[in-house]
Amino acid sequence: GQSLEQPSEVTAVEGAIVQINCTYQTSGFYGLSWYQQHDGGAPTFLSYNALDGLEETGRFSSFLSRSDSYGYLLLQELQMKDSASYFCAVGGYQKVTFGTGTKLQVIP
Amino acid sequence: DSGVTQTPKHLITATGQRVTLRCSPRSGDLSVYWYQQSLDQGLQFLIQYYNGEERAKGNILERFSAQQFPDLHSELNLSSLELGDSALYFCASSVGLPNTGELFFGEGSRLTVL
């Protein structure tokens, strides 16, 4: 089966940097994705790592270590609008399994 | 707008009833996924279809069933509804099998069972 662990809640100050960690156990691993979901909204894709290393997309970066079954999402220059839930997800051959989500609260 | 369309957006029904949720994937996407999200919970994978064929099943109850039609739209049927089935049901699509990690989600169908 597949399981993912991430912190349930994180609070950070506007303008700061926050890192959301994700550890996973899976078979048939293709890559690690990150999604953002605002309350009541649809999840939206942020990034994908298939290989070890750092991927940068604007203020967001994502890291993967396949040997450690670990990844993280790094959000820089936090803005109030970044307050949302963030999900890591493991892509396998047949399906994408999501973690339980990390609720990020950005405070002034 | 992700290009994935789900109907209805909201649905209120009673226990014991049956409902059908509909999903139209993005143009060109062959894979459709269904997820259930209960209040303040994660996304629970239900089932996946690729080009009309069932490819993967998650924690889908026997009271639930789904299919993908030749025009690639999909329907999720929920029967003998219970209070605990109240949730947001998301459909997502991708071009092929999910090895690129990017799914496009619809806005969801919010089901309330009274």
Side-chain angles (χ1 to χ4, degrees):
Chain A
Q2 295 171 308
S3 68
L4 299 94
E5 286 191 19
Q6 48 182 129
S8 59
E9 293 182 359
V10 172
T11 300
V13 178
E14 190 178 13
I17 299 172
V18 71
Q19 178 174 313
I20 300 174
N21 299 321
C22 174
T23 57
Y24 61 87
Q25 289 184 315
T26 185
S27 56
F29 178 83
Y30 276 82
L32 189 71
S33 306
W34 289 91
Y35 287 78
Q36 179 192 61
Q37 185 183 31
H38 286 99
D39 281 346
T44 56
F45 174 81
L46 292 176
S47 67
Y48 175 71
N49 294 70
L51 302 175
D52 287 358
L54 193 67
E55 295 280 344
E56 297 181 65
T57 309
R59 294 187 298 113
F60 294 179
S61 303
S62 57
F63 171 83
L64 174 66
S65 169
R66 295 173 71 115
S67 60
D68 295 324
S69 297
Y70 163 77
Y72 66 73
L73 179 70
L74 193 72
L75 296 84
Q76 301 182 72
E77 300 172 18
L78 280 172
Q79 302 176 7
M80 298 301 291
K81 68 178 182 180
D82 297 330
S83 293
S85 290
Y86 293 83
F87 294 88
C88 58
V90 167
Y93 177 66
Q94 300 287 17
K95 62 183 180 180
V96 179
T97 301
F98 284 77
T100 51
T102 299
K103 190 157 191 170
L104 170 64
Q105 183 181 13
V106 180
I107 58 176
Chain B
D1 183 4
S2 67
V4 179
T5 303
Q6 288 188 248
T7 57
K9 286 186 169 39
H10 300 277
L11 191 56
I12 301 174
T13 188
T15 55
Q17 296 298 304
R18 172 190 170 96
V19 298
T20 297
L21 310 180
R22 182 188 169 97
C23 170
S24 293
R26 287 189 326 156
S27 177
D29 284 0
L30 299 179
S31 282
V32 169
Y33 313 75
W34 286 97
Y35 288 87
Q36 179 193 54
Q37 187 174 40
S38 301
L39 190 63
D40 292 332
Q41 298 295 310
L43 293 152
Q44 297 296 319
F45 171 70
L46 296 178
I47 199 163
Q48 185 229 340
Y49 285 86
Y50 175 76
N51 203 19
E53 293 187 6
E54 181 186 305
R55 282 303 185 99
K57 252 185 177 179
N59 299 322
I60 187 167
L61 299 172
E62 285 191 10
R63 301 183 286 108
F64 296 0
S65 65
Q67 56 182 325
Q68 186 180 29
F69 294 87
D71 66 353
L72 301 178
H73 91 271
S74 178
E75 292 181 357
L76 178 67
N77 300 296
L78 315 175
S79 62
S80 302
L81 286 168
E82 301 175 359
L83 296 178
D85 298 327
S86 295
L88 199 50
Y89 291 84
F90 285 106
C91 167
S93 72
S94 65
V95 173
L97 294 172
N99 52 352
T100 61
E102 184 169 9
L103 303 185
F104 296 88
F105 281 82
E107 293 299 314
S109 292
R110 184 174 295 280
L111 172 66
T112 302
V113 182
L114 300 176

